[in-house]
PDB file of all heavy atoms in Angstrom:
ATOM      1  N   ASN A  24       2.145   9.768   5.232  1.00 94.00           N
ATOM      2  CA  ASN A  24       2.364   9.706   3.782  1.00 94.00           C
ATOM      3  C   ASN A  24       3.201  10.865   3.259  1.00 94.00           C
ATOM      4  O   ASN A  24       2.803  11.626   2.392  1.00 94.00           O
ATOM      5  CB  ASN A  24       1.030   9.623   3.046  1.00 94.00           C
ATOM      6  CG  ASN A  24       0.140  10.828   3.281  1.00 94.00           C
ATOM      7  OD1 ASN A  24       0.148  11.401   4.362  1.00 94.00           O
ATOM      8  ND2 ASN A  24      -0.623  11.195   2.265  1.00 94.00           N
ATOM      9  N   THR A  25       4.425  10.959   3.792  1.00 95.00           N
ATOM     10  CA  THR A  25       5.394  11.922   3.278  1.00 95.00           C
ATOM     11  C   THR A  25       6.432  11.193   2.435  1.00 95.00           C
ATOM     12  O   THR A  25       6.833  10.073   2.762  1.00 95.00           O
ATOM     13  CB  THR A  25       6.105  12.659   4.422  1.00 95.00           C
ATOM     14  OG1 THR A  25       6.796  11.712   5.239  1.00 95.00           O
ATOM     15  CG2 THR A  25       5.101  13.428   5.277  1.00 95.00           C
ATOM     16  N   ALA A  26       6.851  11.831   1.367  1.00 96.00           N
ATOM     17  CA  ALA A  26       7.920  11.292   0.528  1.00 96.00           C
ATOM     18  C   ALA A  26       8.952  12.396   0.341  1.00 96.00           C
ATOM     19  O   ALA A  26       8.693  13.389  -0.340  1.00 96.00           O
ATOM     20  CB  ALA A  26       7.371  10.834  -0.818  1.00 96.00           C
ATOM     21  N   GLU A  27      10.095  12.233   0.975  1.00 97.00           N
ATOM     22  CA  GLU A  27      11.145  13.246   0.886  1.00 97.00           C
ATOM     23  C   GLU A  27      12.046  12.923  -0.307  1.00 97.00           C
ATOM     24  O   GLU A  27      12.591  11.826  -0.409  1.00 97.00           O
ATOM     25  CB  GLU A  27      11.942  13.290   2.178  1.00 97.00           C
ATOM     26  CG  GLU A  27      11.090  13.722   3.370  1.00 97.00           C
ATOM     27  CD  GLU A  27      11.881  13.805   4.650  1.00 97.00           C
ATOM     28  OE1 GLU A  27      12.107  12.745   5.268  1.00 97.00           O
ATOM     29  OE2 GLU A  27      12.281  14.917   5.031  1.00 97.00           O
ATOM     30  N   VAL A  28      12.166  13.884  -1.199  1.00 97.00           N
ATOM     31  CA  VAL A  28      12.924  13.696  -2.437  1.00 97.00           C
ATOM     32  C   VAL A  28      14.191  14.549  -2.368  1.00 97.00           C
ATOM     33  O   VAL A  28      14.119  15.774  -2.274  1.00 97.00           O
ATOM     34  CB  VAL A  28      12.089  14.094  -3.664  1.00 97.00           C
ATOM     35  CG1 VAL A  28      12.868  13.813  -4.955  1.00 97.00           C
ATOM     36  CG2 VAL A  28      10.744  13.361  -3.675  1.00 97.00           C
ATOM     37  N   MET A  29      15.338  13.876  -2.369  1.00 97.00           N
ATOM     38  CA  MET A  29      16.619  14.582  -2.280  1.00 97.00           C
ATOM     39  C   MET A  29      17.454  14.285  -3.519  1.00 97.00           C
ATOM     40  O   MET A  29      17.868  13.147  -3.741  1.00 97.00           O
ATOM     41  CB  MET A  29      17.376  14.152  -1.025  1.00 97.00           C
ATOM     42  CG  MET A  29      18.610  15.004  -0.746  1.00 97.00           C
ATOM     43  SD  MET A  29      19.767  14.291   0.453  1.00 97.00           S
ATOM     44  CE  MET A  29      18.718  13.776   1.772  1.00 97.00           C
ATOM     45  N   TYR A  30      17.670  15.300  -4.318  1.00 97.00           N
ATOM     46  CA  TYR A  30      18.503  15.111  -5.499  1.00 97.00           C
ATOM     47  C   TYR A  30      19.937  15.553  -5.184  1.00 97.00           C
ATOM     48  O   TYR A  30      20.214  16.123  -4.122  1.00 97.00           O
ATOM     49  CB  TYR A  30      17.946  15.880  -6.691  1.00 97.00           C
ATOM     50  CG  TYR A  30      17.779  17.376  -6.482  1.00 97.00           C
ATOM     51  CD1 TYR A  30      18.821  18.266  -6.748  1.00 97.00           C
ATOM     52  CD2 TYR A  30      16.560  17.903  -6.033  1.00 97.00           C
ATOM     53  CE1 TYR A  30      18.665  19.623  -6.570  1.00 97.00           C
ATOM     54  CE2 TYR A  30      16.395  19.265  -5.855  1.00 97.00           C
ATOM     55  CZ  TYR A  30      17.451  20.128  -6.124  1.00 97.00           C
ATOM     56  OH  TYR A  30      17.289  21.471  -5.934  1.00 97.00           O
ATOM     57  N   HIS A  31      20.857  15.266  -6.108  1.00 97.00           N
ATOM     58  CA  HIS A  31      22.243  15.699  -5.944  1.00 97.00           C
ATOM     59  C   HIS A  31      22.625  16.523  -7.171  1.00 97.00           C
ATOM     60  O   HIS A  31      21.788  16.776  -8.052  1.00 97.00           O
ATOM     61  CB  HIS A  31      23.167  14.485  -5.754  1.00 97.00           C
ATOM     62  CG  HIS A  31      23.179  13.556  -6.920  1.00 97.00           C
ATOM     63  ND1 HIS A  31      24.182  13.540  -7.855  1.00 97.00           N
ATOM     64  CD2 HIS A  31      22.278  12.611  -7.324  1.00 97.00           C
ATOM     65  CE1 HIS A  31      23.911  12.625  -8.775  1.00 97.00           C
ATOM     66  NE2 HIS A  31      22.766  12.041  -8.475  1.00 97.00           N
ATOM     67  N   ALA A  32      23.857  16.954  -7.243  1.00 96.00           N
ATOM     68  CA  ALA A  32      24.266  17.929  -8.258  1.00 96.00           C
ATOM     69  C   ALA A  32      24.058  17.446  -9.688  1.00 96.00           C
ATOM     70  O   ALA A  32      23.818  18.252 -10.592  1.00 96.00           O
ATOM     71  CB  ALA A  32      25.734  18.304  -8.045  1.00 96.00           C
ATOM     72  N   GLU A  33      24.103  16.130  -9.905  1.00 97.00           N
ATOM     73  CA  GLU A  33      24.011  15.614 -11.271  1.00 97.00           C
ATOM     74  C   GLU A  33      22.615  15.105 -11.644  1.00 97.00           C
ATOM     75  O   GLU A  33      22.396  14.699 -12.779  1.00 97.00           O
ATOM     76  CB  GLU A  33      25.037  14.497 -11.466  1.00 97.00           C
ATOM     77  CG  GLU A  33      26.483  14.974 -11.363  1.00 97.00           C
ATOM     78  CD  GLU A  33      27.467  13.844 -11.602  1.00 97.00           C
ATOM     79  OE1 GLU A  33      27.610  13.414 -12.762  1.00 97.00           O
ATOM     80  OE2 GLU A  33      28.076  13.386 -10.616  1.00 97.00           O
ATOM     81  N   THR A  34      21.694  15.082 -10.727  1.00 97.00           N
ATOM     82  CA  THR A  34      20.333  14.628 -11.039  1.00 97.00           C
ATOM     83  C   THR A  34      19.701  15.582 -12.038  1.00 97.00           C
ATOM     84  O   THR A  34      19.723  16.798 -11.852  1.00 97.00           O
ATOM     85  CB  THR A  34      19.454  14.596  -9.775  1.00 97.00           C
ATOM     86  OG1 THR A  34      20.101  13.840  -8.759  1.00 97.00           O
ATOM     87  CG2 THR A  34      18.091  13.990 -10.080  1.00 97.00           C
ATOM     88  N   ASN A  35      19.106  15.028 -13.104  1.00 97.00           N
ATOM     89  CA  ASN A  35      18.472  15.934 -14.069  1.00 97.00           C
ATOM     90  C   ASN A  35      17.025  16.227 -13.688  1.00 97.00           C
ATOM     91  O   ASN A  35      16.421  15.551 -12.859  1.00 97.00           O
ATOM     92  CB  ASN A  35      18.586  15.409 -15.509  1.00 97.00           C
ATOM     93  CG  ASN A  35      17.807  14.133 -15.756  1.00 97.00           C
ATOM     94  OD1 ASN A  35      16.744  13.912 -15.181  1.00 97.00           O
ATOM     95  ND2 ASN A  35      18.326  13.277 -16.630  1.00 97.00           N
ATOM     96  N   GLU A  36      16.478  17.249 -14.311  1.00 97.00           N
ATOM     97  CA  GLU A  36      15.145  17.730 -13.962  1.00 97.00           C
ATOM     98  C   GLU A  36      14.066  16.699 -14.288  1.00 97.00           C
ATOM     99  O   GLU A  36      13.077  16.564 -13.566  1.00 97.00           O
ATOM    100  CB  GLU A  36      14.867  19.035 -14.704  1.00 97.00           C
ATOM    101  CG  GLU A  36      13.642  19.780 -14.208  1.00 97.00           C
ATOM    102  CD  GLU A  36      13.514  21.164 -14.812  1.00 97.00           C
ATOM    103  OE1 GLU A  36      14.497  21.660 -15.390  1.00 97.00           O
ATOM    104  OE2 GLU A  36      12.422  21.748 -14.700  1.00 97.00           O
ATOM    105  N   GLN A  37      14.247  15.968 -15.378  1.00 97.00           N
ATOM    106  CA  GLN A  37      13.261  14.956 -15.773  1.00 97.00           C
ATOM    107  C   GLN A  37      13.144  13.866 -14.706  1.00 97.00           C
ATOM    108  O   GLN A  37      12.033  13.397 -14.400  1.00 97.00           O
ATOM    109  CB  GLN A  37      13.646  14.324 -17.128  1.00 97.00           C
ATOM    110  CG  GLN A  37      13.543  15.264 -18.315  1.00 97.00           C
ATOM    111  CD  GLN A  37      14.732  16.208 -18.449  1.00 97.00           C
ATOM    112  OE1 GLN A  37      15.724  16.090 -17.721  1.00 97.00           O
ATOM    113  NE2 GLN A  37      14.647  17.157 -19.374  1.00 97.00           N
ATOM    114  N   THR A  38      14.278  13.466 -14.142  1.00 97.00           N
ATOM    115  CA  THR A  38      14.266  12.456 -13.085  1.00 97.00           C
ATOM    116  C   THR A  38      13.524  12.967 -11.861  1.00 97.00           C
ATOM    117  O   THR A  38      12.697  12.258 -11.271  1.00 97.00           O
ATOM    118  CB  THR A  38      15.709  12.076 -12.696  1.00 97.00           C
ATOM    119  OG1 THR A  38      16.366  11.505 -13.839  1.00 97.00           O
ATOM    120  CG2 THR A  38      15.732  11.091 -11.543  1.00 97.00           C
ATOM    121  N   LEU A  39      13.815  14.191 -11.473  1.00 97.00           N
ATOM    122  CA  LEU A  39      13.152  14.789 -10.319  1.00 97.00           C
ATOM    123  C   LEU A  39      11.643  14.834 -10.515  1.00 97.00           C
ATOM    124  O   LEU A  39      10.879  14.450  -9.621  1.00 97.00           O
ATOM    125  CB  LEU A  39      13.698  16.197 -10.077  1.00 97.00           C
ATOM    126  CG  LEU A  39      13.082  16.976  -8.914  1.00 97.00           C
ATOM    127  CD1 LEU A  39      13.313  16.260  -7.589  1.00 97.00           C
ATOM    128  CD2 LEU A  39      13.657  18.387  -8.862  1.00 97.00           C
ATOM    129  N   HIS A  40      11.192  15.266 -11.677  1.00 97.00           N
ATOM    130  CA  HIS A  40       9.757  15.352 -11.947  1.00 97.00           C
ATOM    131  C   HIS A  40       9.109  13.966 -11.976  1.00 97.00           C
ATOM    132  O   HIS A  40       8.004  13.775 -11.464  1.00 97.00           O
ATOM    133  CB  HIS A  40       9.502  16.071 -13.273  1.00 97.00           C
ATOM    134  CG  HIS A  40       9.785  17.537 -13.233  1.00 97.00           C
ATOM    135  ND1 HIS A  40       9.497  18.327 -12.133  1.00 97.00           N
ATOM    136  CD2 HIS A  40      10.334  18.377 -14.148  1.00 97.00           C
ATOM    137  CE1 HIS A  40       9.846  19.571 -12.380  1.00 97.00           C
ATOM    138  NE2 HIS A  40      10.365  19.635 -13.591  1.00 97.00           N
ATOM    139  N   ALA A  41       9.798  13.005 -12.581  1.00 97.00           N
ATOM    140  CA  ALA A  41       9.236  11.649 -12.681  1.00 97.00           C
ATOM    141  C   ALA A  41       9.034  11.036 -11.302  1.00 97.00           C
ATOM    142  O   ALA A  41       8.008  10.400 -11.032  1.00 97.00           O
ATOM    143  CB  ALA A  41      10.153  10.767 -13.527  1.00 97.00           C
ATOM    144  N   VAL A  42       9.997  11.233 -10.407  1.00 97.00           N
ATOM    145  CA  VAL A  42       9.915  10.633  -9.073  1.00 97.00           C
ATOM    146  C   VAL A  42       8.880  11.348  -8.213  1.00 97.00           C
ATOM    147  O   VAL A  42       8.123  10.708  -7.474  1.00 97.00           O
ATOM    148  CB  VAL A  42      11.303  10.608  -8.400  1.00 97.00           C
ATOM    149  CG1 VAL A  42      11.197  10.164  -6.937  1.00 97.00           C
ATOM    150  CG2 VAL A  42      12.229   9.667  -9.162  1.00 97.00           C
ATOM    151  N   THR A  43       8.803  12.662  -8.291  1.00 97.00           N
ATOM    152  CA  THR A  43       7.784  13.374  -7.516  1.00 97.00           C
ATOM    153  C   THR A  43       6.386  13.039  -8.030  1.00 97.00           C
ATOM    154  O   THR A  43       5.442  12.918  -7.243  1.00 97.00           O
ATOM    155  CB  THR A  43       8.012  14.900  -7.539  1.00 97.00           C
ATOM    156  OG1 THR A  43       8.119  15.358  -8.890  1.00 97.00           O
ATOM    157  CG2 THR A  43       9.269  15.267  -6.779  1.00 97.00           C
ATOM    158  N   ASP A  44       6.243  12.869  -9.344  1.00 97.00           N
ATOM    159  CA  ASP A  44       4.945  12.456  -9.897  1.00 97.00           C
ATOM    160  C   ASP A  44       4.556  11.061  -9.413  1.00 97.00           C
ATOM    161  O   ASP A  44       3.392  10.804  -9.093  1.00 97.00           O
ATOM    162  CB  ASP A  44       4.983  12.476 -11.429  1.00 97.00           C
ATOM    163  CG  ASP A  44       4.971  13.883 -12.003  1.00 97.00           C
ATOM    164  OD1 ASP A  44       4.676  14.840 -11.250  1.00 97.00           O
ATOM    165  OD2 ASP A  44       5.261  14.034 -13.205  1.00 97.00           O
ATOM    166  N   PHE A  45       5.537  10.163  -9.363  1.00 97.00           N
ATOM    167  CA  PHE A  45       5.279   8.819  -8.843  1.00 97.00           C
ATOM    168  C   PHE A  45       4.830   8.881  -7.390  1.00 97.00           C
ATOM    169  O   PHE A  45       3.875   8.208  -6.991  1.00 97.00           O
ATOM    170  CB  PHE A  45       6.538   7.958  -8.969  1.00 97.00           C
ATOM    171  CG  PHE A  45       6.491   6.693  -8.168  1.00 97.00           C
ATOM    172  CD1 PHE A  45       5.684   5.634  -8.555  1.00 97.00           C
ATOM    173  CD2 PHE A  45       7.244   6.567  -7.004  1.00 97.00           C
ATOM    174  CE1 PHE A  45       5.618   4.459  -7.798  1.00 97.00           C
ATOM    175  CE2 PHE A  45       7.191   5.411  -6.245  1.00 97.00           C
ATOM    176  CZ  PHE A  45       6.383   4.351  -6.643  1.00 97.00           C
ATOM    177  N   ALA A  46       5.509   9.694  -6.582  1.00 97.00           N
ATOM    178  CA  ALA A  46       5.144   9.818  -5.164  1.00 97.00           C
ATOM    179  C   ALA A  46       3.693  10.274  -5.016  1.00 97.00           C
ATOM    180  O   ALA A  46       2.939   9.716  -4.211  1.00 97.00           O
ATOM    181  CB  ALA A  46       6.089  10.797  -4.463  1.00 97.00           C
ATOM    182  N   ARG A  47       3.296  11.266  -5.788  1.00 97.00           N
ATOM    183  CA  ARG A  47       1.899  11.726  -5.728  1.00 97.00           C
ATOM    184  C   ARG A  47       0.935  10.626  -6.155  1.00 97.00           C
ATOM    185  O   ARG A  47      -0.144  10.477  -5.578  1.00 97.00           O
ATOM    186  CB  ARG A  47       1.712  12.950  -6.631  1.00 97.00           C
ATOM    187  CG  ARG A  47       2.413  14.213  -6.145  1.00 97.00           C
ATOM    188  CD  ARG A  47       2.005  15.419  -6.973  1.00 97.00           C
ATOM    189  NE  ARG A  47       2.817  16.583  -6.643  1.00 97.00           N
ATOM    190  CZ  ARG A  47       3.910  16.947  -7.302  1.00 97.00           C
ATOM    191  NH1 ARG A  47       4.312  16.231  -8.359  1.00 97.00           N
ATOM    192  NH2 ARG A  47       4.590  18.016  -6.924  1.00 97.00           N
ATOM    193  N   ALA A  48       1.333   9.861  -7.146  1.00 97.00           N
ATOM    194  CA  ALA A  48       0.456   8.818  -7.687  1.00 97.00           C
ATOM    195  C   ALA A  48       0.201   7.696  -6.691  1.00 97.00           C
ATOM    196  O   ALA A  48      -0.812   6.994  -6.796  1.00 97.00           O
ATOM    197  CB  ALA A  48       1.050   8.242  -8.977  1.00 97.00           C
ATOM    198  N   ILE A  49       1.105   7.517  -5.713  1.00 97.00           N
ATOM    199  CA  ILE A  49       0.871   6.487  -4.695  1.00 97.00           C
ATOM    200  C   ILE A  49       0.398   7.114  -3.377  1.00 97.00           C
ATOM    201  O   ILE A  49       0.607   6.554  -2.308  1.00 97.00           O
ATOM    202  CB  ILE A  49       2.113   5.591  -4.478  1.00 97.00           C
ATOM    203  CG1 ILE A  49       3.317   6.395  -3.982  1.00 97.00           C
ATOM    204  CG2 ILE A  49       2.453   4.823  -5.750  1.00 97.00           C
ATOM    205  CD1 ILE A  49       4.477   5.536  -3.500  1.00 97.00           C
ATOM    206  N   ASN A  50      -0.233   8.278  -3.505  1.00 97.00           N
ATOM    207  CA  ASN A  50      -0.898   8.919  -2.362  1.00 97.00           C
ATOM    208  C   ASN A  50       0.071   9.501  -1.341  1.00 97.00           C
ATOM    209  O   ASN A  50      -0.265   9.661  -0.173  1.00 97.00           O
ATOM    210  CB  ASN A  50      -1.848   7.945  -1.659  1.00 97.00           C
ATOM    211  CG  ASN A  50      -2.910   8.658  -0.828  1.00 97.00           C
ATOM    212  OD1 ASN A  50      -3.524   9.617  -1.290  1.00 97.00           O
ATOM    213  ND2 ASN A  50      -3.137   8.192   0.382  1.00 97.00           N
ATOM    214  N   MET A  51       1.275   9.825  -1.788  1.00 96.00           N
ATOM    215  CA  MET A  51       2.244  10.458  -0.908  1.00 96.00           C
ATOM    216  C   MET A  51       2.284  11.960  -1.187  1.00 96.00           C
ATOM    217  O   MET A  51       1.910  12.411  -2.272  1.00 96.00           O
ATOM    218  CB  MET A  51       3.644   9.866  -1.112  1.00 96.00           C
ATOM    219  CG  MET A  51       3.723   8.353  -1.015  1.00 96.00           C
ATOM    220  SD  MET A  51       3.150   7.661   0.559  1.00 96.00           S
ATOM    221  CE  MET A  51       4.433   8.211   1.669  1.00 96.00           C
ATOM    222  N   ILE A  52       2.745  12.719  -0.213  1.00 96.00           N
ATOM    223  CA  ILE A  52       2.969  14.157  -0.385  1.00 96.00           C
ATOM    224  C   ILE A  52       4.473  14.354  -0.539  1.00 96.00           C
ATOM    225  O   ILE A  52       5.230  14.139   0.413  1.00 96.00           O
ATOM    226  CB  ILE A  52       2.451  14.955   0.817  1.00 96.00           C
ATOM    227  CG1 ILE A  52       0.958  14.713   1.007  1.00 96.00           C
ATOM    228  CG2 ILE A  52       2.741  16.447   0.634  1.00 96.00           C
ATOM    229  CD1 ILE A  52       0.400  15.283   2.295  1.00 96.00           C
ATOM    230  N   PRO A  53       4.941  14.738  -1.738  1.00 96.00           N
ATOM    231  CA  PRO A  53       6.385  14.879  -1.932  1.00 96.00           C
ATOM    232  C   PRO A  53       6.922  16.185  -1.358  1.00 96.00           C
ATOM    233  O   PRO A  53       6.312  17.249  -1.504  1.00 96.00           O
ATOM    234  CB  PRO A  53       6.543  14.847  -3.458  1.00 96.00           C
ATOM    235  CG  PRO A  53       5.234  15.286  -3.997  1.00 96.00           C
ATOM    236  CD  PRO A  53       4.191  14.900  -2.994  1.00 96.00           C
ATOM    237  N   PHE A  54       8.075  16.084  -0.697  1.00 96.00           N
ATOM    238  CA  PHE A  54       8.785  17.243  -0.177  1.00 96.00           C
ATOM    239  C   PHE A  54      10.174  17.240  -0.810  1.00 96.00           C
ATOM    240  O   PHE A  54      10.984  16.361  -0.518  1.00 96.00           O
ATOM    241  CB  PHE A  54       8.898  17.186   1.342  1.00 96.00           C
ATOM    242  CG  PHE A  54       7.581  17.326   2.053  1.00 96.00           C
ATOM    243  CD1 PHE A  54       6.793  16.203   2.308  1.00 96.00           C
ATOM    244  CD2 PHE A  54       7.110  18.574   2.443  1.00 96.00           C
ATOM    245  CE1 PHE A  54       5.557  16.335   2.949  1.00 96.00           C
ATOM    246  CE2 PHE A  54       5.890  18.708   3.087  1.00 96.00           C
ATOM    247  CZ  PHE A  54       5.110  17.595   3.335  1.00 96.00           C
ATOM    248  N   VAL A  55      10.436  18.190  -1.671  1.00 97.00           N
ATOM    249  CA  VAL A  55      11.704  18.241  -2.394  1.00 97.00           C
ATOM    250  C   VAL A  55      12.696  19.114  -1.640  1.00 97.00           C
ATOM    251  O   VAL A  55      12.430  20.287  -1.351  1.00 97.00           O
ATOM    252  CB  VAL A  55      11.506  18.775  -3.823  1.00 97.00           C
ATOM    253  CG1 VAL A  55      12.848  18.847  -4.558  1.00 97.00           C
ATOM    254  CG2 VAL A  55      10.527  17.891  -4.595  1.00 97.00           C
ATOM    255  N   LEU A  56      13.850  18.537  -1.290  1.00 96.00           N
ATOM    256  CA  LEU A  56      14.903  19.282  -0.616  1.00 96.00           C
ATOM    257  C   LEU A  56      15.747  20.036  -1.643  1.00 96.00           C
ATOM    258  O   LEU A  56      16.040  19.495  -2.721  1.00 96.00           O
ATOM    259  CB  LEU A  56      15.800  18.346   0.192  1.00 96.00           C
ATOM    260  CG  LEU A  56      15.265  17.893   1.553  1.00 96.00           C
ATOM    261  CD1 LEU A  56      14.115  16.913   1.412  1.00 96.00           C
ATOM    262  CD2 LEU A  56      16.378  17.280   2.386  1.00 96.00           C
ATOM    263  N   LYS A  57      16.139  21.245  -1.321  1.00 95.00           N
ATOM    264  CA  LYS A  57      16.930  22.062  -2.239  1.00 95.00           C
ATOM    265  C   LYS A  57      18.418  21.720  -2.172  1.00 95.00           C
ATOM    266  O   LYS A  57      19.173  22.025  -3.088  1.00 95.00           O
ATOM    267  CB  LYS A  57      16.720  23.546  -1.917  1.00 95.00           C
ATOM    268  CG  LYS A  57      15.293  24.000  -2.126  1.00 95.00           C
ATOM    269  CD  LYS A  57      15.012  25.341  -1.462  1.00 95.00           C
ATOM    270  CE  LYS A  57      15.832  26.460  -2.060  1.00 95.00           C
ATOM    271  NZ  LYS A  57      15.495  27.763  -1.445  1.00 95.00           N
ATOM    272  N   LYS A  58      18.829  21.093  -1.082  1.00 95.00           N
ATOM    273  CA  LYS A  58      20.214  20.686  -0.902  1.00 95.00           C
ATOM    274  C   LYS A  58      20.244  19.322  -0.222  1.00 95.00           C
ATOM    275  O   LYS A  58      19.273  18.924   0.421  1.00 95.00           O
ATOM    276  CB  LYS A  58      20.975  21.688  -0.024  1.00 95.00           C
ATOM    277  CG  LYS A  58      21.100  23.089  -0.593  1.00 95.00           C
ATOM    278  CD  LYS A  58      21.858  23.990   0.378  1.00 95.00           C
ATOM    279  CE  LYS A  58      21.988  25.406  -0.164  1.00 95.00           C
ATOM    280  NZ  LYS A  58      22.707  26.295   0.803  1.00 95.00           N
ATOM    281  N   GLU A  59      21.368  18.633  -0.353  1.00 96.00           N
ATOM    282  CA  GLU A  59      21.536  17.361   0.351  1.00 96.00           C
ATOM    283  C   GLU A  59      21.658  17.611   1.855  1.00 96.00           C
ATOM    284  O   GLU A  59      22.338  18.540   2.295  1.00 96.00           O
ATOM    285  CB  GLU A  59      22.772  16.621  -0.159  1.00 96.00           C
ATOM    286  CG  GLU A  59      22.627  16.062  -1.556  1.00 96.00           C
ATOM    287  CD  GLU A  59      23.815  15.218  -1.946  1.00 96.00           C
ATOM    288  OE1 GLU A  59      24.917  15.788  -2.057  1.00 96.00           O
ATOM    289  OE2 GLU A  59      23.645  14.006  -2.113  1.00 96.00           O
ATOM    290  N   GLN A  60      21.005  16.764   2.625  1.00 94.00           N
ATOM    291  CA  GLN A  60      21.018  16.897   4.082  1.00 94.00           C
ATOM    292  C   GLN A  60      20.888  15.520   4.715  1.00 94.00           C
ATOM    293  O   GLN A  60      19.886  14.830   4.495  1.00 94.00           O
ATOM    294  CB  GLN A  60      19.855  17.790   4.537  1.00 94.00           C
ATOM    295  CG  GLN A  60      19.529  17.744   6.017  1.00 94.00           C
ATOM    296  CD  GLN A  60      20.638  18.316   6.893  1.00 94.00           C
ATOM    297  OE1 GLN A  60      21.417  19.147   6.446  1.00 94.00           O
ATOM    298  NE2 GLN A  60      20.714  17.875   8.136  1.00 94.00           N
TER     299      GLN A  60
END
């Protein structure tokens, strides 16, 4: 239950928070990458 969250230069903070919150809500552990890989 890992959820890797990769944003890009134009992704806004609200989107990032909404998606990581969703991942937690479905029993996943979100891992946010600081850069694209």
Side-chain angles (χ1 to χ4, degrees):
N24 61 326
T25 60
E27 296 182 280
V28 183
M29 189 195 313
Y30 57 88
H31 62 101
E33 295 182 73
T34 307
N35 66 34
E36 192 171 345
Q37 292 80 7
T38 298
L39 179 61
H40 289 322
V42 172
T43 53
D44 287 346
F45 166 73
R47 291 189 188 95
I49 61 169
N50 201 46
M51 307 302 291
I52 301 171
F54 293 88
V55 179
L56 280 71
K57 296 165 64 177
K58 297 179 180 179
E59 289 186 295
Q60 165 66 26

